Amino acid sequence: RQIFSPQLKWLTISLCSVWFLNSFAGCLYLWIPMYLTHRNNNVEPTLMGNAYMAALLEAVGDMMGGVTMSFVVELFDRRALLRSGLILMALGSALLGWITNIRLIMILIPVISAVRTGIIALLYTYTPELYPTTVRSTGLGMCSALHRLAPTIAHFIIALLLGVSFWHVTVVFGLLYFAAGIMT
């Protein structure tokens, strides 16, 4: 109840929305290896466009993002970092839908993955700092719970939108990242 007090209500709604939208839109990137496999129809024997290579590049990007953010978070304003990261993810999502060159998609994967992981690390750092000590754990727990709930819904939405086109998925999820960036 305290996190929805008049003083903390808008902070809680804003943070919960950002956590939810970030996790929801982040599910798009779990579908990239499957998209590449479908797109190539397994006829291209090279590593470019290979689903396993895409997953490996995503994992490398995850590691780079976590390490990089641990240094960058102390150098810049956390809110500005969060907002710029979410806007970068919106642009990356839109780019992913427009790029037709497999090599460019494979280059974009670790970059997007690094930014996504950096945003998550930043959220876990920044959120507790905004709440008073008495409700810090409750506020972070609420945000984290919504962060876990979002993917259960997002995968169904992605599957529905993929019936239209991958471009539609990337645009919709890019707009979600943009909305989260505006809410910070």
Side-chain angles (χ1 to χ4, degrees):
R1 284 186 231 172
Q2 293 176 344
I3 61 173
F4 288 107
S5 67
Q7 297 85 10
L8 298 176
K9 177 174 59 173
W10 291 114
L11 172 69
T12 300
I13 291 170
S14 174
L15 282 173
C16 286
S17 299
V18 169
W19 277 74
F20 183 85
L21 290 172
N22 178 58
S23 182
F24 192 93
C27 290
L28 166 66
Y29 300 98
L30 299 174
W31 286 71
I32 292 174
M34 187 172 71
Y35 165 70
L36 291 173
T37 302
H38 174 72
R39 181 177 169 172
N40 289 343
N41 206 13
N42 292 326
V43 295
E44 190 176 323
T46 66
L47 288 178
M48 285 299 149
N50 183 310
Y52 298 111
M53 180 56 77
L56 175 66
L57 290 173
E58 189 173 344
V60 168
D62 283 343
M63 289 187 296
M64 290 183 336
V67 171
T68 303
M69 189 53 73
S70 66
F71 294 110
V72 173
V73 74
E74 297 300 327
L75 299 175
F76 299 101
D77 177 54
R78 286 174 169 81
R79 185 176 185 194
L81 270 176
L82 183 59
R83 179 171 283 157
S84 61
L86 291 165
I87 300 298
L88 276 173
M89 288 302 293
L91 294 173
S93 297
L95 264 176
L96 192 61
W98 282 310
I99 292 177
T100 57
N101 186 330
I102 294 288
R103 294 185 198 290
L104 290 177
I105 291 173
M106 296 299 270
I107 291 169
L108 193 60
I109 289 172
V111 174
I112 288 174
S113 184
V115 174
R116 187 184 73 224
T117 302
I119 289 170
I120 294 168
L122 184 58
L123 281 171
Y124 273 106
T125 304
Y126 184 52
T127 301
E129 294 174 351
L130 296 176
Y131 283 108
T133 306
T134 55
V135 294
R136 189 167 286 162
S137 295
T138 307
L140 181 61
M142 175 99 164
C143 291
S144 183
L146 288 171
H147 189 73
R148 304 281 184 235
L149 175 68
T152 59
I153 303 164
H155 291 293
F156 291 107
I157 303 297
I158 292 172
L160 287 172
L161 286 174
L162 278 175
V164 179
S165 76
F166 187 69
W167 180 84
H168 284 88
V169 177
T170 60
V171 168
V172 168
F173 281 67
L175 288 173
L176 291 175
Y177 269 121
F178 187 75
I182 297 300
M183 288 184 191
T184 56

